[in-house]
Amino acid sequence: MQKLNFPSCNFRFKNSENKTYIFDQIRKKFVILQPEEWVRQHVISYLINEKSYPKSLINIEKVLTINNLKKRYDIVIFNPDGSIHITVECKAPSVNITQETFDQVARYNLSLKSSYLMITNGLNHYFCQMDYENEKYIFLQDLPPHQK
């Protein structure tokens, strides 16, 4: 897998039936290593190790329904009160981050109502704080660290 624009990480891998698997520390199981999963695992490591978010507040790949369509978010970080603090959309490194990508996350966020958004393909990262009152994004240099 290619080098991504994240701090280096120590991952656990296993091979089975000619497939490579990576251990997901949130789901506590090995998952097939695809390019998007490679990005997702780097984001998880970044959130835990660099931003100090507890594993207990991180949720991976759950289904949500938007306009009667089933969609699946990549990563959300909850606040202790159960509201959503950050929504993360991961793309494979070969996928360019476009307006369409932002629109996808914005549609998800209509239901999720998170305070922050992160969109990444592992090479380029975009961070936004939501300004619901003025209906706009405020672009940031990085996500805030976990407030203990």
Side-chain angles (χ1 to χ4, degrees), residues 113-115 129-138:
K113 303 264 189 275
S114 62
S115 303
Q129 183 173 9
M130 299 304 299
D131 179 351
Y132 289 105
E133 196 171 301
N134 298 305
E135 297 182 350
K136 66 179 187 175
Y137 306 110
I138 300 165

Side-chain angles (χ1 to χ4, degrees), residues 45-62:
S45 178
Y46 164 78
L47 292 169
I48 294 168
N49 298 320
E50 304 295 320
K51 295 296 173 181
S52 302
Y53 285 98
K55 292 177 189 177
S56 61
L57 296 179
I58 300 173
N59 199 281
I60 309 293
E61 285 203 308
K62 295 289 191 238

Side-chain angles (χ1 to χ4, degrees), residues 1-2 4 11-16 18-24 27 29-42 93:
M1 286 283 158
Q2 79 182 85
L4 301 178
F11 294 116
R12 289 174 43 203
F13 300 97
K14 77 173 185 179
N15 291 305
S16 177
N18 295 326
K19 291 187 180 126
T20 301
Y21 293 79
I22 187 168
F23 188 77
D24 181 317
R27 292 178 275 187
K29 66 179 184 177
F30 281 94
V31 292
I32 294 176
L33 182 57
Q34 304 278 357
E36 185 177 313
E37 191 63 47
W38 182 237
V39 173
R40 185 172 17 257
Q41 293 306 315
H42 276 79

Side-chain angles (χ1 to χ4, degrees), residues 111-124:
S111 299
L112 300 172
K113 303 264 189 275
S114 62
S115 303
Y116 295 91
L117 302 177
M118 176 181 180
I119 303 164
T120 183
N121 62 4
L123 305 172
N124 299 300

Side-chain angles (χ1 to χ4, degrees), residues 59-115:
N59 199 281
I60 309 293
E61 285 203 308
K62 295 289 191 238
V63 173
L64 72 147
T65 304
I66 301 172
N67 297 330
N68 295 323
L69 297 173
K70 297 227 181 282
K71 301 290 183 183
R72 187 180 295 270
Y73 62 71
D74 286 314
I75 302 170
V76 297
I77 300 171
F78 289 96
N79 289 307
D81 69 4
S83 62
I84 296 178
H85 186 56
I86 302 171
T87 299
V88 182
E89 179 62 26
C90 301
K91 298 292 183 191
S94 61
V95 176
N96 289 326
I97 306 291
T98 63
Q99 184 62 50
E100 193 174 306
T101 313
F102 274 94
D103 293 345
Q104 175 188 358
V105 176
R107 279 191 303 277
Y108 289 4
N109 204 41
L110 289 173
S111 299
L112 300 172
K113 303 264 189 275
S114 62
S115 303

